[in-house]
Amino acid sequence: AEEESSAGQPPEAPPAPTESALPPEPARELIDFIDEASMQKLIEEWDRYDKDQNGSISEDEFKEGERAWHRRVYGEPISEEELEEKLSFWKRTGDKDGDDEVSWLEFANSKALLILDAQKRLPECLTELELEDAKGVFDYIDSDQSGGICESEARSYFEQKYAKDVGNSLRSWQQAAAMVETSVRRLMLTHDTGGDDLISFDEFLAEEAKSIVMDRHKVKALKVKASLAPTPGGAPQAQEIEQMAQVLSESQLAHARLKFQELDTDKSGTVELREIKRVFKSLGLRMHRSEFIKRLRVAFKAADLDGNRRLDYEEFKHMYNYLFVAGLDMAAFT
């Protein structure tokens, strides 16, 4: 009877932890989950990169190793664009401490991520807290608490999300409606692996686990619970479904790439704060330029993960989310 009375209602925000609560369990290293044969291959691959055998791989060693591997496997040199994409991914997944070098443990864990993802085993690598947080997000979207996200629930979620953009003058209602349909189609396509028009929690978790694991080094813990407490408008404040699932849709990624190329006026492969400032007028924001620049500086610092005062494309995607999707909401970086 108690279950029936709460049906259809959004889940209550979880209680705040008490002082006596035990600290969350630390995440185990991903290499703890792979077999011995895979580990041996990782050691052989490590030796291919770490030419000077000093226990770490520099950016130059990584590029040299990738060029040699690509030439040996494909019989032709790798393009600079593909090499830079590999380097960006390597930095995001491997260089956790941001020192521009990858240690053996960083390297092994980044490769284990790919192995476990291919084996569909990443969900078993999540901590209890990460599983709890993912379930909180799932339950929020599953508004009738049926145990599955249907298309109408996904649409309701994205309608609330993009209505916020319209309210911030970032999109027209027509654009918002189009984005709702695109986002719903994408979610159902990527997450409804059973093809029954319903996303179960297992299906949801299978798709989200990679993003959760990849972002461990950018946030100390996935603080989803508090952000899921419904606001007066009914939508979560942060850590929304798209932020857990690679943040941007395909159409948004395509637009982000175009914007990056447009802003990269010196064709350096990176953009600086001065170049990004130029988007103010096109955003049509209802604020003074000085206020925008003030906020932009804070956001730029959050996006600049390696602290070199330039954003590569991977870093810029978070800035794009902040500027064009999240409505200058710093939750785009959490």
Side-chain angles (χ1 to χ4, degrees):
E2 291 180 359
E3 290 288 332
E4 292 179 0
S5 65
S6 61
Q9 298 298 319
E12 295 181 3
T18 63
E19 292 183 2
S20 60
L22 294 174
E25 60 173 320
R28 289 172 58 192
E29 302 293 350
L30 295 182
I31 55 174
D32 293 342
F33 294 90
I34 65 175
D35 56 35
E36 290 185 13
S38 297
M39 178 62 79
Q40 184 58 41
K41 289 181 180 179
L42 290 187
I43 294 173
E44 293 171 1
E45 188 173 357
W46 169 263
D47 290 338
R48 186 179 86 225
Y49 289 104
D50 186 21
K51 297 296 184 182
D52 58 10
Q53 297 294 300
N54 71 342
S56 64
I57 300 173
S58 66
E59 183 175 315
D60 288 339
E61 284 179 319
F62 174 82
K63 287 184 174 180
E64 181 183 344
E66 284 297 317
R67 289 191 182 103
W69 179 84
H70 197 279
R71 192 178 298 108
R72 183 174 66 253
V73 173
Y74 297 105
E76 59 184 26
I78 187 173
S79 70
E80 286 302 309
E81 182 179 2
E82 185 177 353
L83 184 61
E84 287 302 320
E85 287 181 358
K86 284 178 174 288
L87 178 62
S88 294
F89 180 79
W90 173 71
K91 284 183 175 180
R92 182 185 176 194
T93 60
D95 186 18
K96 294 185 177 182
D97 56 13
D99 64 353
D100 290 328
E101 291 195 347
V102 172
S103 68
W104 155 250
L105 189 59
E106 289 175 326
F107 173 86
N109 278 325
S110 68
K111 293 297 182 179
L113 172 70
L114 300 178
I115 294 170
L116 294 167
D117 184 42
Q119 296 173 346
K120 306 296 183 185
R121 292 180 55 206
L122 282 177
E124 68 185 74
C125 305
L126 302 181
T127 66
E128 288 185 13
L129 177 60
E130 288 168 336
L131 288 169
E132 208 173 292
D133 289 341
K135 188 64 164 64
V137 175
F138 178 86
D139 287 344
Y140 185 86
I141 302 171
D142 177 26
S143 57
D144 65 2
Q145 302 299 283
S146 66
I149 297 173
C150 63
E151 186 172 319
S152 64
E153 289 173 322
R155 179 170 286 102
S156 175
Y157 171 80
F158 286 115
E159 284 175 348
Q160 293 179 34
K161 172 181 171 61
Y162 292 117
K164 180 180 176 182
D165 287 357
V166 174
N168 290 328
S169 301
L170 294 172
R171 302 178 193 276
S172 66
W173 280 111
Q174 185 177 10
Q175 291 171 328
M179 286 307 304
V180 167
E181 295 307 313
T182 298
S183 298
V184 170
R185 283 198 303 271
R186 177 178 171 81
L187 183 68
M188 300 305 294
L189 179 66
T190 57
H191 289 59
D192 179 25
T193 53
D196 58 356
D197 297 324
L198 200 66
I199 300 170
S200 68
F201 179 63
D202 286 342
E203 290 174 322
F204 178 84
L205 191 63
E207 292 299 316
E208 299 305 321
K210 185 175 182 180
S211 296
I212 295 171
V213 172
M214 287 176 70
D215 288 337
R216 278 175 178 169
H217 67 285
K218 289 194 291 186
V219 288
K220 297 300 181 182
L222 291 174
K223 300 176 181 177
V224 184
K225 295 179 183 178
S227 67
L228 284 174
T231 64
Q237 296 175 358
Q239 195 61 39
E240 297 174 313
I241 175 64
E242 279 196 315
Q243 290 175 294
M244 292 186 70
Q246 301 298 333
V247 181
L248 302 174
S249 68
E250 290 181 10
S251 60
Q252 288 171 329
L253 284 171
H255 188 237
R257 173 68 75 175
L258 290 174
K259 275 294 178 184
F260 181 82
Q261 293 171 345
E262 176 186 321
L263 294 171
D264 183 19
T265 53
D266 59 3
K267 305 306 177 186
S268 63
T270 59
V271 293
E272 299 177 42
L273 179 62
R274 62 178 177 78
E275 293 173 309
I276 300 178
K277 287 179 181 179
R278 295 188 292 115
V279 305
F280 173 71
K281 192 172 183 180
S282 65
L283 290 174
L285 298 171
R286 296 174 181 174
M287 69 172 62
H288 196 276
R289 179 181 173 82
S290 61
E291 175 62 21
F292 171 71
I293 299 301
K294 181 180 178 181
R295 294 191 186 189
L296 185 63
R297 286 197 181 101
V298 175
F300 188 94
K301 187 174 181 180
D304 185 17
L305 298 177
D306 57 11
N308 67 350
R309 298 184 181 180
R310 290 172 172 269
L311 304 185
D312 60 27
Y313 177 61
E314 289 299 314
E315 293 171 321
F316 176 79
K317 285 192 290 188
H318 294 281
M319 178 61 77
Y320 175 90
N321 183 25
Y322 171 77
L323 291 170
F324 297 95
V325 180
L328 305 191
D329 187 343
M330 288 300 291
F333 300 101
T334 59

